[in-house]
Amino acid sequence: MWGRLRGHGVRAGCITLLLAGLLPGAVPAASAAAPETERKQVAAEDRVLKDDVALTVRPDGVTHARETIVYEFHGGRGFTRAFQTRIRHSDTQDRVFRVENVRASSQDGGPTAVTTEIDGDRTLVRLTGPRPLNGSRTVVLEYDVRGVISPMGSTEELRWTVVGDWSVPVLGARATVQGSAAIRNVNCFAGMPGTLIGCSQSFTNHTRIQGEFTQQNMLPGDHFTIAAGFPAGMTGAGPLYEQRRTLSTAFSVNPVTGGALLALLVLLVGGFGVLYLLRGRDARVVGKKAAEGDRPAGESGFEPPDGVRPGQIGTLIDEQADVIDVTATVVDLAVRGYLLIEEEDRATTKRLDWTLRKLDRRHNDLLPYEQTLLDALFEGRDAVRLAELGGTFARQLARVRGAMYEDVVTQGWFARRPDSVRTRWTTAGMVLAGLGVVGTVGLALFTDLALVGLAVIIGGAALTFGGPYMPAKTARGSTVLAHTIGFRSYLSRGQAPEGVASEQRIALFSRYLPYAVVFDMVGPWAKTVEDAGVRAEGADNLYWYEGPAEWDLSQFAESMRAFTLAVSGAISQSRQFRAL
């Protein structure tokens, strides 16, 4: 049947024109006409009188096209030739055609300035001239196209839309194709994109070296597609495919994304390894030396392990200068004789309140953070009520906590301030995660490497999560921590060491009370102080804590619990207690 005049193609083309006239809605809007902007560039009377395309298949599979266009102008400067260069092949791939080496010439003053651009699935070739034109002009457009050859069993098929997507009617279209071998079969289709309706006619010449195809009266947006079969191996070329830009392909695993995920895994494992080494060192030192710290302080002059102050202990344990650490320091300053705590008479003041009274004592043994706290509490005054601190001391709290962080670095327990380390790593993680989000969106829109951005997000999230764990104690800090935990174990028993005289019990137990505040043992240990005071003859008050009239040490435990809560509430808008 190949090589004969296909009369049925003429009838099919007429049917196509009739259906297009009666059922305009049958032609999809996206393919029945060019974009509206292109329509405005041509006059309503413009048309293509003739469009002849000669295709030559080269041995490498690249097909050269020489297209002769006779265009009738009515005041326009040029026209646009559109090629369908991307079609859907599967859910993951598009078949693409590459139009290259485009050039134009004209012997009668037609437009020859060529610009090309990619517009979605189409490649647009715009031809423009220097002035408005009227009447017919002949333009010869030449280009190379790759990807039109497809192996199909014993043949290689060339399939190409030689004429299509014109924004004006085409009165007559003709195409020829030839290669380096005889053509085995030909076929053609005309009408809306993707149609299976045959063109006007298709045949081969008597030598079967050249195939010829014709189509008459094409509507704007119609396609004229030809197909010719050559012997297999004539070119050895094949179709070109590109991955589709979908959500699934954007997050596909490929060598690049796989490498990024592997690198992320290595970094995460390495990061956790570093954390394990740092935290594991603390655990090993604690396990080795906890027993050294589990000794009665009375044997070393009533001193806690290594002479560590309560506020220092709190910052060392959880690497944070909490409000409760500041509260414990207030109690410690009272026990050490720098201030006196006076409980107000509730019957007189109609509220539970305390007065902190500054004592006249030289500040020889105060650490910088303790001096900062004293100055912030009194601010030139000799006495201050807790109620007066509410809502005002919060401004001073940051300065006190900063001094506490500086102190643990000065002691050599940390190489850098724990709060600065946490902030640095957490901020870096948040910035990295944010960049990962932006990168993932961009990569998902334009590439198939979105998993790289996702890996960056995960890495940033890991840094943000791990930021609070990044402060690392030095070996010296880990050793002090071990002694501290041993001391906490001793305090939890709430018993005085053997051999301590009864007159020394109140002083000893008072000395331990600020540490009990840090360890969240204020209730049981205050009860211990209370019991010691009750057994002591004539002890209605402590040397550092005075109650109102009719108050005695039997009420101390309840008073102490209320005082620590009140101090924490006064110096901060929110209480931060540690769970150990």
Side-chain angles (χ1 to χ4, degrees), residues 73-124:
F73 291 93
H74 292 82
R77 294 176 180 270
F79 57 81
T80 299
R81 179 74 169 87
F83 299 93
Q84 191 76 23
T85 51
R86 180 181 293 272
I87 59 175
R88 181 187 179 94
H89 175 71
S90 66
D91 290 340
T92 59
Q93 286 185 321
D94 286 337
R95 182 172 179 176
V96 296
F97 307 90
R98 306 196 189 283
V99 176
E100 304 168 333
N101 305 321
V102 183
R103 57 190 182 275
S105 61
S106 177
Q107 299 296 323
D108 57 5
T112 58
V114 175
T115 58
T116 62
E117 67 173 281
I118 303 298
D119 180 25
D121 295 341
R122 303 188 307 165
T123 296
L124 302 181

Coordinates of all heavy atoms in Angstrom, one line a residue, residues 73-124:
F73 N 1.8 39.2 4.3 CA 1.9 40.2 5.4 C 0.8 41.3 5.1 O 0.5 41.6 4.0 CB 3.2 40.9 5.5 CG 4.3 40.0 6.0 CD1 5.1 39.3 5.1 CD2 4.6 39.9 7.3 CE1 6.1 38.5 5.5 CE2 5.6 39.0 7.8 CZ 6.4 38.3 6.9
H74 N 0.3 41.8 6.2 CA -0.6 43.0 6.2 C -0.2 44.0 7.3 O -0.9 44.3 8.2 CB -2.0 42.5 6.4 CG -2.6 41.7 5.3 ND1 -2.4 40.4 5.2 CD2 -3.3 42.1 4.2 CE1 -3.0 39.9 4.1 NE2 -3.6 40.9 3.4
G75 N 1.1 44.5 7.1 CA 1.6 45.5 8.0 C 2.4 45.0 9.1 O 3.0 45.8 9.9
G76 N 2.6 43.7 9.2 CA 3.5 43.1 10.3 C 4.9 43.2 9.9 O 5.3 43.3 8.8
R77 N 5.8 43.0 10.9 CA 7.3 43.0 10.7 C 7.8 41.6 10.7 O 9.0 41.4 10.3 CB 8.0 43.8 11.9 CG 7.6 45.3 11.9 CD 8.3 45.9 13.1 NE 8.0 47.4 13.1 CZ 8.7 48.3 12.5 NH1 9.8 47.9 11.8 NH2 8.4 49.6 12.6
G78 N 7.1 40.6 11.0 CA 7.6 39.2 11.1 C 6.6 38.2 11.5 O 5.4 38.5 11.6
F79 N 7.1 37.0 11.8 CA 6.2 36.0 12.3 C 6.9 35.0 13.2 O 8.2 35.1 13.3 CB 5.6 35.2 11.1 CG 6.6 34.6 10.1 CD1 7.2 33.4 10.4 CD2 6.9 35.3 8.9 CE1 8.1 32.8 9.6 CE2 7.8 34.7 8.1 CZ 8.5 33.5 8.4
T80 N 6.2 34.1 13.8 CA 6.8 33.2 14.8 C 6.6 31.8 14.3 O 5.4 31.4 14.0 CB 6.3 33.3 16.2 OG1 6.6 34.6 16.6 CG2 6.9 32.3 17.1
R81 N 7.6 31.0 14.2 CA 7.5 29.6 13.8 C 7.7 28.8 15.1 O 8.7 28.9 15.8 CB 8.6 29.2 12.8 CG 8.6 27.8 12.4 CD 7.4 27.4 11.5 NE 7.7 26.1 10.9 CZ 7.3 25.0 11.4 NH1 6.6 25.0 12.6 NH2 7.5 23.8 10.8
A82 N 6.7 27.9 15.4 CA 6.7 27.2 16.7 C 6.9 25.7 16.4 O 6.3 25.1 15.4 CB 5.4 27.4 17.4
F83 N 7.8 25.0 17.2 CA 8.0 23.6 17.1 C 7.7 22.9 18.4 O 8.0 23.4 19.5 CB 9.5 23.3 16.8 CG 10.0 23.9 15.5 CD1 10.6 25.2 15.5 CD2 9.9 23.3 14.3 CE1 11.0 25.8 14.3 CE2 10.3 23.8 13.1 CZ 10.9 25.1 13.1
Q84 N 7.0 21.8 18.3 CA 6.7 21.0 19.5 C 7.9 20.2 19.8 O 8.2 19.2 19.1 CB 5.5 20.1 19.2 CG 4.9 19.4 20.5 CD 4.1 20.3 21.3 OE1 3.6 21.3 20.8 NE2 4.0 20.0 22.6
T85 N 8.7 20.6 20.8 CA 10.0 19.9 21.1 C 10.0 19.1 22.4 O 11.0 18.7 22.8 CB 11.1 21.0 21.1 OG1 10.7 22.0 22.0 CG2 11.3 21.5 19.7
R86 N 8.8 19.0 23.0 CA 8.8 18.1 24.2 C 7.4 17.5 24.3 O 6.4 18.2 24.2 CB 9.0 19.0 25.5 CG 9.0 18.1 26.8 CD 9.2 19.0 28.0 NE 10.6 19.6 28.0 CZ 11.6 18.9 28.6 NH1 11.4 17.8 29.2 NH2 12.8 19.5 28.6
I87 N 7.4 16.2 24.4 CA 6.1 15.4 24.5 C 6.2 14.4 25.7 O 7.3 14.0 26.0 CB 5.7 14.7 23.2 CG1 6.8 13.7 22.8 CG2 5.4 15.7 22.1 CD1 6.4 12.9 21.6
R88 N 5.1 14.2 26.3 CA 5.1 13.2 27.4 C 5.4 11.8 26.9 O 4.7 11.3 26.0 CB 3.8 13.3 28.2 CG 3.7 12.4 29.4 CD 2.3 12.4 29.9 NE 2.1 11.6 31.1 CZ 2.3 12.0 32.3 NH1 2.5 13.2 32.6 NH2 2.1 11.1 33.4
H89 N 6.4 11.2 27.5 CA 6.6 9.8 27.2 C 6.1 8.8 28.2 O 5.6 7.8 27.9 CB 8.2 9.6 27.0 CG 8.6 8.2 26.7 ND1 8.3 7.5 25.5 CD2 9.2 7.3 27.5 CE1 8.8 6.3 25.6 NE2 9.3 6.1 26.8
S90 N 6.3 9.2 29.5 CA 5.8 8.3 30.6 C 5.6 9.2 31.8 O 5.8 10.4 31.7 CB 6.8 7.2 30.9 OG 8.1 7.7 31.4
D91 N 5.3 8.6 32.9 CA 5.2 9.4 34.2 C 6.5 10.0 34.6 O 6.4 11.0 35.4 CB 4.6 8.5 35.3 CG 3.2 8.1 35.0 OD1 2.5 8.8 34.2 OD2 2.7 7.1 35.6
T92 N 7.6 9.5 34.2 CA 8.9 10.0 34.7 C 9.7 10.6 33.6 O 10.7 11.2 33.9 CB 9.7 8.8 35.3 OG1 9.9 7.8 34.4 CG2 8.9 8.3 36.5
Q93 N 9.4 10.5 32.3 CA 10.2 10.9 31.3 C 9.4 11.7 30.2 O 8.3 11.4 29.9 CB 11.0 9.8 30.6 CG 12.1 9.2 31.4 CD 12.9 8.2 30.6 OE1 12.3 7.4 29.9 NE2 14.2 8.2 30.8
D94 N 10.1 12.7 29.6 CA 9.6 13.4 28.4 C 10.5 13.0 27.2 O 11.7 12.9 27.4 CB 9.6 14.9 28.6 CG 8.4 15.3 29.5 OD1 7.5 14.6 29.6 OD2 8.6 16.4 30.1
R95 N 9.9 12.9 26.0 CA 10.7 12.8 24.8 C 11.0 14.2 24.3 O 10.0 15.0 24.3 CB 10.1 12.0 23.8 CG 11.0 11.8 22.5 CD 10.4 10.9 21.5 NE 11.3 10.8 20.4 CZ 11.1 10.0 19.3 NH1 10.1 9.1 19.3 NH2 12.0 10.0 18.3
V96 N 12.2 14.5 24.0 CA 12.6 15.9 23.6 C 13.2 15.9 22.2 O 13.8 14.9 21.8 CB 13.5 16.6 24.6 CG1 12.9 16.7 26.0 CG2 14.8 15.8 24.7
F97 N 13.0 17.0 21.5 CA 13.7 17.2 20.2 C 14.4 18.5 20.3 O 13.9 19.5 20.8 CB 12.6 17.3 19.1 CG 11.6 16.1 19.1 CD1 10.5 16.2 19.8 CD2 11.9 15.0 18.3 CE1 9.6 15.1 19.8 CE2 11.0 13.9 18.3 CZ 9.9 14.0 19.1
R98 N 15.6 18.5 19.8 CA 16.5 19.7 19.9 C 16.6 20.3 18.5 O 17.2 19.8 17.6 CB 17.9 19.3 20.4 CG 17.8 18.5 21.7 CD 19.1 18.5 22.4 NE 19.1 17.6 23.6 CZ 18.6 17.9 24.8 NH1 18.0 19.1 24.9 NH2 18.6 17.0 25.7
V99 N 16.1 21.6 18.4 CA 16.2 22.4 17.2 C 17.4 23.3 17.4 O 17.5 24.1 18.3 CB 14.9 23.2 17.0 CG1 15.0 24.1 15.8 CG2 13.7 22.2 16.8
E100 N 18.4 23.1 16.4 CA 19.6 23.8 16.5 C 20.0 24.4 15.2 O 19.4 24.1 14.1 CB 20.7 22.8 17.0 CG 20.5 22.1 18.2 CD 21.4 20.9 18.5 OE1 22.0 20.4 17.5 OE2 21.6 20.6 19.7
N101 N 21.0 25.3 15.3 CA 21.6 25.9 14.1 C 20.6 26.6 13.2 O 20.5 26.3 11.9 CB 22.4 24.9 13.3 CG 23.5 24.2 14.1 OD1 24.1 24.8 14.9 ND2 23.7 22.9 13.9
V102 N 19.7 27.4 13.8 CA 18.6 28.0 13.0 C 19.2 29.2 12.3 O 19.9 30.1 12.9 CB 17.5 28.4 14.0 CG1 16.3 29.0 13.2 CG2 17.0 27.2 14.8
R103 N 18.8 29.3 11.0 CA 19.2 30.5 10.3 C 18.1 30.8 9.2 O 17.3 29.9 8.9 CB 20.5 30.3 9.6 CG 20.7 29.1 8.7 CD 22.1 28.9 8.3 NE 22.3 27.8 7.4 CZ 22.4 26.5 7.8 NH1 22.3 26.2 9.1 NH2 22.5 25.6 6.9
A104 N 18.0 32.0 8.7 CA 17.0 32.4 7.8 C 17.6 33.3 6.7 O 18.5 34.0 6.9 CB 15.8 33.1 8.5
S105 N 16.9 33.2 5.5 CA 17.4 34.0 4.4 C 16.1 34.4 3.5 O 15.1 33.7 3.6 CB 18.4 33.3 3.5 OG 17.9 32.1 2.9
S106 N 16.2 35.5 2.8 CA 15.1 35.9 1.9 C 15.6 36.6 0.8 O 16.5 37.5 0.9 CB 14.1 36.7 2.7 OG 13.0 37.2 1.9
Q107 N 15.1 36.4 -0.4 CA 15.5 37.1 -1.6 C 14.6 38.2 -2.0 O 15.0 39.0 -2.9 CB 15.5 36.1 -2.8 CG 16.5 34.9 -2.6 CD 17.9 35.3 -2.6 OE1 18.3 36.3 -3.3 NE2 18.7 34.7 -1.7
D108 N 13.5 38.4 -1.3 CA 12.5 39.4 -1.6 C 12.2 40.4 -0.4 O 11.1 41.0 -0.4 CB 11.3 38.8 -2.2 CG 10.6 37.9 -1.3 OD1 11.1 37.7 -0.1 OD2 9.6 37.2 -1.7
G109 N 13.1 40.5 0.5 CA 12.9 41.4 1.6 C 12.1 40.9 2.8 O 11.6 41.7 3.6
G110 N 12.0 39.6 2.9 CA 11.3 39.0 4.0 C 12.1 39.1 5.3 O 13.3 39.4 5.3
P111 N 11.5 38.9 6.5 CA 12.2 39.0 7.8 C 13.2 37.9 7.9 O 12.9 36.7 7.7 CB 11.1 38.9 8.8 CG 10.0 38.1 8.1 CD 10.0 38.5 6.7
T112 N 14.4 38.2 8.4 CA 15.5 37.2 8.5 C 16.2 37.2 9.8 O 17.1 36.4 10.1 CB 16.5 37.4 7.4 OG1 17.0 38.7 7.4 CG2 15.9 37.1 6.0
A113 N 15.9 38.2 10.7 CA 16.5 38.3 12.0 C 15.9 37.2 12.9 O 14.7 37.2 13.1 CB 16.3 39.6 12.6
V114 N 16.7 36.2 13.4 CA 16.2 35.1 14.1 C 16.6 35.2 15.6 O 17.7 35.5 16.0 CB 16.9 33.8 13.5 CG1 16.4 32.6 14.3 CG2 16.5 33.6 12.0
T115 N 15.5 34.9 16.4 CA 15.7 34.7 17.8 C 15.0 33.4 18.2 O 13.9 33.2 17.7 CB 15.2 35.9 18.7 OG1 13.8 36.1 18.4 CG2 16.0 37.1 18.3
T116 N 15.5 32.7 19.1 CA 14.8 31.4 19.6 C 14.7 31.5 21.1 O 15.5 32.1 21.8 CB 15.6 30.2 19.2 OG1 16.9 30.2 19.8 CG2 15.8 30.1 17.7
E117 N 13.6 30.8 21.6 CA 13.4 30.7 23.0 C 12.6 29.5 23.3 O 11.8 29.0 22.4 CB 12.7 31.9 23.6 CG 11.3 32.1 23.1 CD 10.6 33.3 23.8 OE1 10.1 33.0 24.9 OE2 10.4 34.4 23.2
I118 N 12.7 28.9 24.5 CA 12.0 27.8 24.9 C 10.7 28.3 25.7 O 10.8 29.1 26.6 CB 12.8 26.9 25.8 CG1 14.0 26.4 25.1 CG2 11.9 25.7 26.3 CD1 13.8 25.6 23.9
D119 N 9.6 27.9 25.2 CA 8.3 28.3 25.9 C 7.5 27.0 26.2 O 6.7 26.5 25.5 CB 7.5 29.1 24.9 CG 6.1 29.5 25.5 OD1 6.1 29.6 26.7 OD2 5.2 29.8 24.7
G120 N 7.8 26.5 27.5 CA 7.2 25.3 27.9 C 7.6 24.1 27.1 O 8.8 23.7 27.0
D121 N 6.6 23.4 26.4 CA 6.9 22.3 25.5 C 7.3 22.7 24.1 O 7.5 21.8 23.3 CB 5.7 21.4 25.5 CG 5.4 20.8 26.8 OD1 6.3 20.8 27.7 OD2 4.2 20.3 27.0
R122 N 7.4 24.0 23.8 CA 7.6 24.4 22.5 C 8.9 25.2 22.4 O 9.4 25.8 23.4 CB 6.5 25.3 21.9 CG 5.1 24.6 22.0 CD 4.1 25.4 21.3 NE 4.0 26.8 21.8 CZ 3.4 27.8 21.2 NH1 2.8 27.6 20.0 NH2 3.4 29.0 21.7
T123 N 9.5 25.1 21.2 CA 10.7 26.0 20.9 C 10.1 27.0 19.9 O 9.6 26.7 18.8 CB 11.8 25.2 20.3 OG1 12.3 24.3 21.2 CG2 12.9 26.2 19.8
L124 N 10.3 28.3 20.2 CA 9.7 29.4 19.3 C 10.9 30.0 18.6 O 11.9 30.4 19.2 CB 9.0 30.4 20.2 CG 7.9 30.0 21.1 CD1 7.3 31.1 21.8 CD2 6.8 29.3 20.2

